[in-house]
Amino acid sequence: MKLFRLARAIATFVCIGAAAATAGAQSRTILNVSYDPTRELYKEFNETFKKHWRETTGENLNIRMSHGGAGKQARSVIDGLEADVVTLALAYDIDAIGEIAGLVAENWQSRLPNDSSPYTSTIVFLVRKGNPKNIKDWDDLVRPGIEIITPNPKTSGGARWNYLAAWGYALKKELGDLSKLKDHAYASEVAEAQQKAQQFVATILKKVPVLDTGARGSTTTFVQRGIGDVFLSWENEAFLAVQELGPDKFEIVVPSISILAQPPVTVVDKVVDRRGTRDVAEAYLKHLYSPAGQRLAAKHFYRPAEPRHADAVDLKRFPKVDLFTIDEVFGSWAEAQKIHFDDGGTFDRVYRP
């Protein structure tokens, strides 16, 4: 009987321990709605963060991903896709989630460092090996016989960066100094330069045979389908194409001037509060700024907000580029969106498929 009672006590203790272990190993799920070219970055980052979260809290975490053109992804969240966090291509798309659906707080961009952009990028040209069309800068894109690949600005954040980079180059060429844009003394000169920039971008768009919905689709069109002479590309996407397919097939051309692309991130406030995931969602985004997160950003060809945390070998890959910002040339993303990409805007007027 003593042995029986002892065995029963041991069994009870084991069951209690197993129950406690099961409770400690509970899991939650969060959804990150992102844009096309971040697939490889978040595939590795998610595994790193899940390990960090488990070691820190004892909780297992499932992280689901959704990728697509940034504008299309923002619309999906507005229409009801329950994202805990969004990691999109430009601030305007997150602003739209807040303004149209009321899901994100107005101060979202001030809640994390660097305007809530843990990494940046820019726009470069991807050409075929040997650069057979001798494409060196933006002006070469409008030469006869050049076919250009870029996504649709209506659905792709990367495409909007491409479009505005070309526009800014044309303005810089005409004005010499972009500071003239905000000086009323140069109003007539600026108006003429804006007209020439519109003609320049219109000419580029005439050379685009197909507008894919997102940057990854355009990469496939250029790289796998073999269409086009030059692909206007996120810098990270161009590096990835060269890495995966080899420098014997493609090479990167860095234009004389380009745009500072700042892909931002935020929690979706109303979703995380409803689902009880704010703590993990906020920790997830903050981890992007950690040394581990910054190393992974550089490894996957994004320019880290804190370069000191990245491997020196990865940083050496990034060329020095003369970059202008959205605010310098277009005032803000809200202004750029309204003038260029809203229905009836400049893009709709100049693009003729």
Side-chain angles (χ1 to χ4, degrees):
M1 287 297 294
K2 288 182 179 179
L3 289 174
F4 174 75
R5 284 195 295 270
L6 177 62
R8 187 170 62 183
I10 292 173
T12 301
F13 178 79
V14 170
C15 288
I16 292 172
T22 300
Q26 62 183 331
S27 66
R28 283 184 288 174
T29 299
I30 62 171
L31 170 62
N32 177 0
V33 173
S34 195
Y35 66 109
D36 268 334
T38 63
R39 298 170 192 267
E40 291 75 18
L41 167 60
Y42 282 109
K43 182 178 181 180
E44 185 168 1
F45 175 79
N46 289 348
E47 293 305 314
T48 299
F49 180 73
K50 285 193 292 185
K51 180 181 178 182
H52 165 77
W53 187 253
R54 186 168 56 250
E55 291 174 348
T56 303
T57 68
E59 180 184 31
N60 291 322
L61 181 65
N62 299 312
I63 304 173
R64 296 189 299 122
M65 294 298 306
S66 172
H67 293 278
K72 186 178 179 181
Q73 292 292 82
R75 172 52 60 181
S76 295
V77 175
I78 290 168
D79 290 343
L81 180 60
E82 289 211 321
D84 298 271
V85 301
V86 289
T87 56
L88 296 176
L90 45 93
Y92 176 80
D93 287 329
I94 296 180
D95 285 337
I97 294 171
E99 292 169 6
I100 298 173
L103 297 174
V104 177
E106 288 185 11
N107 69 335
W108 69 267
Q109 203 163 12
S110 65
R111 296 189 296 200
L112 289 169
N114 200 37
D115 291 330
S116 289
S117 295
Y119 41 76
T120 64
S121 191
T122 188
I123 302 305
V124 298
F125 306 156
L126 187 67
V127 298
R128 305 190 190 284
K129 181 62 179 177
N131 195 4
K133 295 296 180 74
N134 196 31
I135 296 167
K136 301 294 184 182
D137 210 343
W138 293 98
D139 277 338
D140 295 319
L141 302 183
V142 297
R143 287 194 281 109
I146 303 295
E147 194 172 59
I148 301 165
I149 299 300
T150 184
N152 188 341
K154 291 288 191 177
T155 55
S156 167
R160 277 174 274 179
W161 287 115
N162 293 347
Y163 174 110
L164 296 177
W167 194 287
Y169 166 81
L171 289 178
K172 177 70 179 293
K173 179 183 176 183
E174 295 299 323
L175 296 173
D177 183 356
L178 290 174
S179 66
K180 291 180 179 180
L181 291 166
K182 298 182 179 180
D183 190 335
H184 293 298
Y186 296 97
S188 60
E189 187 179 346
V190 167
E192 184 178 349
Q194 294 283 14
Q195 186 60 38
K196 289 184 177 180
Q198 178 173 311
Q199 294 170 356
F200 181 73
V201 172
T203 302
I204 288 177
L205 291 171
K206 288 178 183 177
K207 295 171 167 287
V208 180
V210 56
L211 287 178
D212 293 290
T213 59
R216 186 54 57 90
S218 285
T219 303
T220 299
T221 294
F222 184 74
V223 169
Q224 296 184 11
R225 298 174 63 194
I227 298 173
D229 302 300
V230 55
F231 172 34
L232 308 189
S233 172
W234 287 97
E235 181 179 53
N236 61 288
E237 191 81 343
F239 272 122
L240 182 64
V242 172
Q243 175 183 269
E244 291 192 345
L245 299 167
D248 58 323
K249 294 185 178 180
F250 298 98
E251 58 188 73
I252 297 171
V253 172
V254 180
S256 62
I257 185 172
S258 195
I259 197 165
L260 176 64
Q262 296 175 285
V265 303
T266 189
V267 298
V268 183
D269 294 278
K270 285 197 174 180
V271 172
V272 296
D273 288 342
R274 182 170 60 248
R275 300 187 66 241
T277 55
R278 179 176 286 275
D279 59 335
V280 63
E282 289 181 343
Y284 177 79
L285 295 183
K286 287 178 181 177
H287 201 64
L288 286 167
Y289 292 87
S290 71
Q294 293 291 284
R295 281 195 299 273
L296 287 178
K299 176 182 177 181
H300 290 279
F301 311 114
Y302 284 94
R303 297 180 181 232
E306 294 287 345
R308 60 195 174 94
H309 295 314
D311 290 339
V313 173
D314 292 334
L315 293 177
K316 286 182 180 179
R317 297 182 298 202
F318 300 117
K320 290 184 178 180
V321 189
D322 183 7
L323 300 174
F324 62 85
T325 68
I326 286 288
D327 290 351
E328 284 178 306
V329 178
F330 303 98
S332 67
W333 255 115
E335 292 179 63
Q337 178 70 30
K338 180 179 179 180
I339 292 171
H340 294 280
F341 308 118
D342 277 357
D343 290 344
T346 306
F347 172 75
D348 285 345
R349 294 198 302 274
V350 302
Y351 178 62
R352 296 290 180 268

